Amino acid sequence: MTKYNVIEKILGDRSYPRQNSGQAFAPSNIALCKYWGKRNAELNLPINSSLSISLAHLGTHTTIRMAEGMDSISLNGMPLTLNSRFSHRLIEYLNLFRPERDFYFDVKTDNNFPTAAGLASSASGYAAAARALNNFFGWELEDNLLSILARLGSGSASRSIYHGFVEWEAGFHVDGMDSYAHVLPHRWPDLNLAVLTLSIGSKPVGSTEGMKRTVETSVLYKSWPEKAQRDLDQLRLAIEQKDFELLGETSESNALAMHATMIDTRPSVLYWLPETVAAFHQIWKMRSEGVKLYFTIDAGPNVKILFLRNDLDIVRAVFPQCEIITPFDFSVS
Ligand code: 2P0
């Protein structure tokens, strides 16, 4: 089963542009129950289901037009060469959608979160690309199919099709037609995040490679799918009941368990810096003093703090350099 087979199932022969341009926005997202490990690397099919919060207005705007003679790609207003790593990956994705071999795309993509914030751009990037292609070609696809198209670009992009709390069901079919995200009906406006940027350097190992290595060599990983399922159930309950302690404890435990599998990998994949561990200790210390802060952390050194709005002043005072995010402060267009 290839990506082309999946595209054929979704689009049939509906692939001629109907608009001069297709534009879209997609939010970035942070997982509370992480996606870690693939059952199919070609289709980005995950081993476990995951659950995230989208980051409202922080994300990617993308505009797609037809180009003459060759593809043209710009990122944050700067033209990119076609052999850069960013262009190479995007062109592989665009190849799935060319109506003819000599059809070329002009793609302008802009991330509105601070580049230094260390937020993943592939999630919002491929979700915005899938939506922009849908608008450019006039496919009028339902969101679950857009979520599958976004997943073919990057797994976590399947969740960035939606705002709010989003669950990506792992599915079990070989073609992945049952592996897409849906939005949960609950809003939690008091739930806030703070991003602590501790390093803007590039990661020693990318997520795709890190996951592969973990699945292949970590003994601890064997317990991960069961742990992730349990955490997912707890998170759903926490969201339904607006139980912040349960949400925070489960998210923190899930992130630490994912990192335990990475650390157990050979050769070990350790994304933490001394500053990362210091932030963990600071958050635990504050919790022991009665301030309800919890953290989550992705495949990198930067820490994301979960807190309720009434603790905003404390968070700002203790972590003055952090970026505050209000995930439920969005309007759906
Ligand atoms: C997540 N991460 O659930 C997890 C937590 C990183 C740690 O999804 O290979 O960039 O493109 O499917 O989506 C990062 O992985 O990987 C990721 P690919 P992706 O957010």
Side-chain angles (χ1 to χ4, degrees):
M1 185 66 58
T2 66
K3 288 180 179 171
Y4 287 96
N5 300 138
V6 175
I7 300 289
E8 213 172 294
K9 277 184 198 233
I10 293 177
L11 297 178
D13 57 5
R14 287 191 286 169
S15 44
Y16 286 88
R18 306 236 194 97
Q19 314 287 339
N20 286 333
S21 72
Q23 294 189 37
F25 169 79
S28 188
N29 77 75
I30 289 175
L32 304 181
C33 178
K34 308 294 186 185
Y35 149 52
W36 198 247
K38 303 184 194 196
R39 64 185 164 87
N40 179 321
E42 159 85 7
L43 304 181
N44 290 332
L45 293 177
I47 287 174
N48 63 284
S49 299
S50 56
L51 191 152
S52 60
I53 314 182
S54 287
L55 304 188
H57 62 283
L58 292 181
T60 304
H61 283 277
T62 292
T63 304
I64 292 183
R65 294 189 178 82
M66 192 174 152
E68 291 296 328
M70 64 192 289
D71 291 324
S72 156
I73 294 175
S74 79
L75 175 62
N76 297 336
M78 300 282 288
L80 295 183
T81 60
L82 297 184
N83 54 13
S84 68
R85 201 194 297 181
F86 183 94
S87 301
H88 195 261
R89 182 169 172 184
L90 182 56
I91 287 169
E92 272 198 4
Y93 187 65
L94 296 172
N95 286 344
L96 301 169
F97 304 101
R98 291 183 205 279
E100 287 140 4
R101 275 175 72 101
D102 59 353
F103 184 98
Y104 298 103
F105 290 100
D106 172 20
V107 182
K108 291 192 170 34
T109 189
D110 296 290
N111 296 325
N112 67 6
F113 44 81
T115 311
L119 296 170
S121 60
S122 70
S124 54
Y126 283 93
R131 279 200 180 280
L133 286 162
N134 182 54
N135 293 338
F136 177 60
F137 285 113
W139 295 324
E140 298 182 4
L141 295 176
E142 309 258 324
D143 282 350
N144 58 344
L145 294 177
L146 288 177
S147 175
I148 292 177
L149 292 188
R151 163 169 57 73
L152 297 178
S154 185
S156 51
S158 65
R159 300 186 307 239
S160 276
I161 289 295
Y162 305 94
H163 283 287
F165 289 115
V166 181
E167 184 177 334
W168 170 19
E169 285 168 56
F172 54 87
H173 291 156
V174 284
D175 62 4
M177 292 303 290
D178 57 350
S179 182
Y180 51 82
H182 68 270
V183 67
L184 302 187
H186 313 276
R187 287 176 65 91
W188 195 341
D190 282 347
L191 181 63
N192 284 194
L193 287 159
V195 178
L196 262 187
T197 304
L198 302 168
S199 165
I200 56 168
S202 59
K203 307 191 260 192
V205 182
S207 299
T208 310
E209 171 60 21
M211 272 188 230
K212 181 169 179 287
R213 245 197 245 176
T214 308
V215 174
E216 285 170 1
T217 68
S218 166
V219 175
L220 281 185
Y221 187 79
K222 292 184 180 21
S223 64
W224 169 255
E226 198 188 320
K227 157 83 178 157
Q229 186 56 51
R230 217 168 38 235
D231 288 346
L232 191 66
D233 293 341
Q234 294 289 292
L235 285 168
R236 278 200 217 102
L237 190 71
I239 291 166
E240 257 170 55
Q241 301 183 344
K242 289 211 168 56
D243 181 339
F244 181 64
E245 283 180 41
L246 183 61
L247 182 102
E249 276 172 19
T250 309
S251 303
E252 197 173 288
S253 161
N254 184 270
L256 288 170
M258 173 183 73
H259 280 268
T261 70
M262 299 165 172
I263 293 167
D264 183 45
T265 289
R266 293 200 186 180
S268 188
V269 181
L270 178 65
Y271 289 106
W272 300 347
L273 295 173
E275 294 84 347
T276 311
V277 180
F280 295 168
H281 283 289
Q282 176 80 53
I283 290 163
W284 288 329
K285 178 167 174 284
M286 291 179 70
R287 215 150 75 219
S288 74
E289 292 165 358
V291 186
K292 295 203 172 72
L293 307 186
Y294 297 87
F295 65 81
T296 183
I297 174 165
D298 288 323
N302 301 319
V303 175
K304 285 100 181 183
I305 303 170
L306 295 160
F307 66 99
L308 291 176
R309 193 74 186 164
N310 54 12
D311 285 325
L312 177 62
D313 291 344
I314 301 180
V315 171
R316 280 220 173 101
V318 178
F319 302 102
Q321 75 283 29
C322 71
E323 170 95 11
I324 304 291
I325 297 172
T326 49
F328 289 89
D329 191 6
F330 63 86
S331 53
V332 179
S333 52

